[in-house]
Each structure stands twice: as C-alpha cells, then as structure tokens.
Amino acid sequence: MDIKNFENTDGAALIAQPGVSPASGGLAAGVAMCLMSMSSIQFGAALSSSAIATYGVAGATWLRLAFAAIILAAIVRPSVLRYSGAQWRATLLLGTTTAAMTLCFFAAIQRLPLGLAIAIDFLGPLSVAVFGYGLTWRLTWPLIAAAGILFLAHDGEGWVGNLPGVLFALGSAVGWAVYILLTKKVGAAFKGLEGLSMSLIVAGLVATPFGLAETGGAFTLKGLVEVLGLAILVPLLPYALEMVALRRMQSASFGILMSLEPALGALAGFLILAQPMTALQMLGTALVVAASAGATASAEKA
C-alpha cells in the first residue's frame, strides 16, 4: 500500500476507504499499536496540565508543535524549495488547521473534564463519517453520541465545565473534521512523511505569536524538557504507531478501535487528574464509543 493512503491518519479512518490488506506482523500487533497510540494521546493530554500551568494554553501548545516539527523535520528533511504552489497551499491550510485545532483542544481540557472534552472533540470525525453519506439513517449515530455527551456533562449534582470550555471543544471538533479532509489531500500531494512534516512546521509557525505573547519568552530548562516529552507523546509517537498499524489491519478495524478514544480519555482523566465519573457519565462514555464504532462500521459497508 502506498504511504499516502495511511499518512496522517488520526481519525481519518472514520471515513470509508478501501480496505488495507494486512501485512506481515499480524492483526494483534496492529491492535496493540492502536491501543498504544490512543493511550499516548490521552495520557499525553492528561499530563499536559503542568505545562499548561507553566506556559499557558497557547505557550504549551506552541512549544509542543514546535518541538514536534523540529524532530520530524530532522528525520524527514523535506525538500522545501522543490514544492509546487499547490503543495504549499495544501500544507498551509493543513498546518493552520492543526494549530487552531490543537489550541482549541488544550483550551477545552483546561476547562472541562478530559472525558467530556474528548467526547465533544470526537464529534468531528464522527460527523465526517456520517454526513459523507447524506441524510440517511446514519444520522442516528451523532444523535446517540450527543445523548452520551449530555450524560457526560452532568455529574449527578449539576453541569460540569463551562460554556467557554464547550465552545473550545466544539471548535476543536470542527478543526478535526477539516483536518481529516485536508489530510487526504496532503497525503496525496506528498511522498512519505513530507506532508506531515511541512504541516507541523506551518502549525508551529502559526502558533508562535500566540505562544510568545503568553509566555513572554520566559523558559526554564525543566519546563522545556517536559514539553519535549509531551511533544513525543502527542503527536509524534501516535502518528508513527498508527502508520505502522495500518499496514497490518483493515481501515474499518482501525476506525472502530479509534472509537475507544473517548473511553481512554475518561480513564486518563480518572487516573492522572483524579476526575471521577458517575454511573450516568460512564453510560455517556459508552454511548459515544458505540456511536463512533457504529458510524465506522456502517460507513465501511456503504
């Protein structure tokens, strides 16, 4: 399979696409890599609270994107001067979307429980999978997910989080949906990981003025090392794991596994951030996971 079919696939497998014949290594290895990728994303998000407290949302996001861009550029060494105007436009759009999506996401988890923020964020790829097939019975999947989010947003005593947090999470969801569509275009326009590398460079540059404004350029060695580790957790390690995993499994299987992400987000919030969940919130998480899995499976059969 050509690399363009599985480059930048975080959430993209929720779109129906031709199946991928598993290569050597087996399905079990692919499943393990998917679980490691999702765990890296969610626990990386949960562990970001210290960096956000030190540098602010914009500052921590900027440093994460910048470190990720530098590391990947050093590995890939993209041929910057050889790209066409169309390639540059594609990476500028994807990079800007990546920066906006990431800024919104970390602003959301600062204001909402991690499980709720992830569930709202997941409406992005879920909507892409569902609305890509028009006004059909598949519209029931986002309705089920919306019911799950309502359950997640109530802890038995009152509504959790706040309106700005919900709006930031919705902004991240919109960004994720656009990101998926742009990723397909960038993956087709570049070879190997060059498209991903270029989009991360653009994302880091777009986030720079926001990051500098919030941090004031005041950095510590300990803080920079911490953010470097977070950049490896998200996005470098997940992308690498997902790309290798998709060589070993069908895209539908990958998408269904990715549906576990809201549940892993809730688990990470509980273990690391001590964010408890009521029985109703656990039911809400299950509904979001079921809706995502159902949308993926029905999209693959369409």
Side-chain angles (χ1 to χ4, degrees):
M1 176 186 160
D2 191 270
I3 189 96
K4 71 181 181 182
N5 289 326
F6 58 85
E7 183 179 0
N8 296 342
T9 50
D10 190 15
L14 288 175
I15 305 175
Q17 52 185 296
V20 179
S21 298
S24 60
L27 179 63
V31 170
M33 290 176 188
C34 283
L35 293 174
M36 289 172 63
S37 169
M38 288 185 288
S39 298
S40 179
I41 292 171
Q42 301 311 323
F43 284 88
L47 290 168
S48 297
S49 56
S50 176
I52 291 175
T54 302
Y55 296 119
V57 170
T61 300
W62 165 55
L63 290 172
R64 182 195 295 265
L65 290 171
F67 277 131
I70 291 169
I71 294 171
L72 191 58
I75 296 172
V76 175
R77 298 181 182 179
S79 304
V80 177
L81 300 179
R82 297 181 181 178
Y83 297 137
S84 67
Q87 288 175 309
W88 272 106
R89 286 191 293 273
T91 55
L92 286 171
L93 285 172
L94 180 57
T96 301
T97 299
T98 300
M101 173 182 69
T102 309
L103 285 166
C104 284
F105 174 70
F106 285 105
I109 66 173
Q110 186 185 34
R111 296 167 172 82
L112 300 175
L114 185 59
L116 175 58
I118 295 295
I120 296 174
D121 192 32
F122 218 70
L123 290 177
L126 176 60
S127 297
V128 171
V130 170
F131 289 103
Y133 292 95
L135 300 176
T136 68
W137 62 269
R138 292 180 181 83
L139 290 177
T140 57
W141 296 123
L143 294 177
I144 293 173
I149 289 171
L150 285 177
F151 291 161
L152 272 167
H154 201 280
D155 63 1
E157 298 181 358
W159 299 104
V160 299
N162 52 45
L163 181 59
V166 171
L167 293 176
F168 276 122
L170 288 172
S172 180
V174 172
W176 196 357
V178 176
Y179 170 89
I180 291 171
L181 300 176
L182 291 175
T183 291
K184 292 172 70 66
K185 183 176 181 179
V186 170
F190 290 85
K191 64 180 181 179
L193 300 179
E194 291 186 16
L196 172 59
S197 179
M198 289 299 298
S199 67
L200 281 176
I201 291 172
V202 172
L205 292 173
V206 169
T208 295
F210 301 98
L212 282 176
E214 189 157 22
T215 63
F219 306 114
T220 65
L221 179 60
K222 179 182 178 181
L224 290 176
V225 170
E226 179 183 3
V227 178
L228 174 61
L230 292 172
I232 293 172
L233 279 176
V234 185
L236 289 182
L237 183 58
Y239 280 132
L241 288 169
E242 289 167 9
M243 288 176 188
V244 177
L246 276 167
R247 293 189 179 120
R248 292 167 165 78
M249 61 195 307
Q250 299 288 333
S251 59
S253 300
F254 177 85
I256 292 172
L257 277 171
M258 289 294 292
S259 303
L260 293 173
E261 200 151 4
L264 286 175
L267 178 61
F270 174 74
L271 294 177
I272 297 177
L273 302 176
Q275 295 174 345
M277 294 186 71
T278 65
L280 188 63
Q281 289 173 321
M282 292 180 185
L283 174 61
T285 301
L287 287 175
V288 174
V289 170
S292 301
T296 305
S298 61
E300 184 69 16
K301 293 175 182 178

